[in-house]
Amino acid sequence: MWKSWLIYILSLAGYSLFTILYGKRSAFIILFVIALVPLIYSLLTYFMAKRSIRSYFGTDSMTLEKNKKAEIVVTLECLSELCVGNRAHVYTSVYNGMGKKIFRARKKLYLTLEKQNAVFEFVPKYSGVHNIILEKVRVYSGFSLFCTAIHPGERLSFMIMPEYKEFPVQTGIIQEENEGESEQFSMRKPGNDPSELFDIRIYRPGDKMNRINWKFSAKNNTLMVQDYGFPIACDLAVFLDVSAEKDLQKIEAALEILYYLMVHFTLEKKLFYVIWGDNREQQVKRRMVSDSEDIYEVFQELFCADMTDVKTCMEDMYSVQFEGEFLSSSIFIYGGRNDLEEEILRMKLRTDLLELIHV
């Protein structure tokens, strides 16, 4: 803006010298116009800009992946023809889950009567919940002699998922489907729950007569038997304990392993728990996972929890909170702890099989 003022003052000084040397009345009138018109137009567009500029984020929410380019879209609207062509600078900042500013950028646009998008690109280095703040929009008046700063105060929260890596860890857990009370049913074998139909097949000797489906039997001209569903017990758990870990890279590694296991078990149609400790509430959180939507919901809860500096060992909190519950298999992902004894941990978690993964 100071350059515009410098050009304006130098132009006035030069034309004033010419007017004095020329000495004609018409030159003084032109000097008067040159001096006032830019000022009047600049002041008019300055005040109009405050009322006619609208800015907001182009999306309500985003889910992104670490180390992949992300795009933040800010939409700018100009409601006044008088401001068309004026220069505008859009400023945005990105803060991580700990409130630290990790990205700040500026985009330059020239106002039009149509909606415009300012696209900001950045590559997130860590997973977690991030906040984008639309800090301000600086709009310059005509001739760029004045500028006004508009502070929209727009805030957008979005989640950065851990980077997905194939086979970051090998696990020897082979989980058989056990019958239990749940709303999830096996895709592999039938059971005895009449609330869910597994399959309709041809009658075999030994099948119960009350399972014959007479409608299908008449249609196929042979006896057809219906198999009921097999409700799956949720007795597989993945524990995440990074309460004693200070290295952010190792915490990221633990989250990547968790992400891989969740995707792996989900694709295998396995029902399982994800369990972690929350320092803020001083208790264990547990979430059942059955599909890909549950994976994102688990990470949303994980990133909102305080998983570090938990005062009580997670296995002790779990033992108290879920007393009387037993697991067939468990995977324990941990970092920063050297006091773990596998047999004692297995007894506290009340699990038949236990696999430790240290990051």
Side-chain angles (χ1 to χ4, degrees), residues 24-189:
K24 297 291 185 178
R25 182 182 297 178
S26 58
F28 283 99
I29 294 174
I30 295 173
L31 176 63
F32 182 75
V33 172
I34 291 175
L36 288 183
V37 169
L39 283 176
I40 294 172
Y41 180 70
S42 293
L43 288 171
L44 186 59
T45 53
Y46 169 79
F47 289 111
M48 287 297 296
K50 289 187 173 182
R51 300 186 178 187
S52 63
I53 304 300
R54 303 287 183 271
S55 58
Y56 49 87
F57 288 112
T59 182
D60 293 331
S61 61
M62 294 187 296
T63 300
L64 308 170
E65 191 170 321
K66 189 182 75 171
N67 291 329
K68 291 190 177 180
K69 184 173 68 175
E71 291 187 349
I72 305 166
V73 179
V74 177
T75 301
L76 201 64
E77 290 185 52
C78 176
L79 307 179
S80 172
E81 293 186 8
L82 197 63
C83 296
V84 170
N86 289 2
R87 184 163 46 102
H89 290 170
V90 182
Y91 296 82
T92 59
S93 294
V94 178
Y95 294 82
N96 62 16
M98 294 179 287
K100 181 181 178 182
K101 185 186 293 186
I102 60 173
F103 175 81
R104 189 174 190 268
R106 180 190 72 175
K107 286 287 182 179
K108 182 172 70 173
L109 298 171
Y110 289 94
L111 300 177
T112 66
L113 291 177
E114 298 180 353
K115 292 182 180 179
Q116 298 182 82
N117 290 331
V119 180
F120 298 85
E121 297 180 349
F122 83 106
V123 178
K125 299 299 183 183
Y126 293 98
S127 58
V129 175
H130 291 58
N131 291 307
I132 312 172
I133 297 177
L134 180 51
E135 288 189 341
K136 63 182 175 182
V137 179
R138 181 173 288 170
V139 183
Y140 292 83
S141 65
F143 297 99
S144 297
L145 295 180
F146 302 100
C147 75
T148 180
I150 302 168
H151 299 273
E154 290 280 323
R155 180 186 292 267
L156 175 65
S157 294
F158 65 100
M159 188 169 67
I160 303 294
M161 294 291 291
E163 184 177 6
Y164 182 77
K165 296 179 180 178
E166 282 290 340
F167 308 111
V169 63
Q170 296 291 335
T171 174
I173 291 291
I174 300 176
Q175 176 69 12
E176 294 292 334
E177 291 180 340
N178 298 314
E179 189 172 10
E181 295 183 4
S182 75
E183 297 180 358
Q184 300 294 324
F185 292 86
S186 174
M187 303 292 291
R188 302 183 181 91
K189 58 183 178 181

Side-chain angles (χ1 to χ4, degrees), residues 202-236:
I202 297 176
Y203 175 85
R204 293 194 295 261
D207 288 335
K208 296 181 179 179
M209 296 299 293
N210 61 359
R211 291 197 179 186
I212 295 176
N213 189 306
W214 297 107
K215 182 178 179 180
F216 274 86
S217 297
K219 185 177 179 180
N220 291 275
N221 200 28
T222 186
L223 289 178
M224 302 293 293
V225 176
Q226 54 191 15
D227 284 332
Y228 296 142
F230 182 87
I232 305 172
C234 187
D235 54 1
L236 168 64

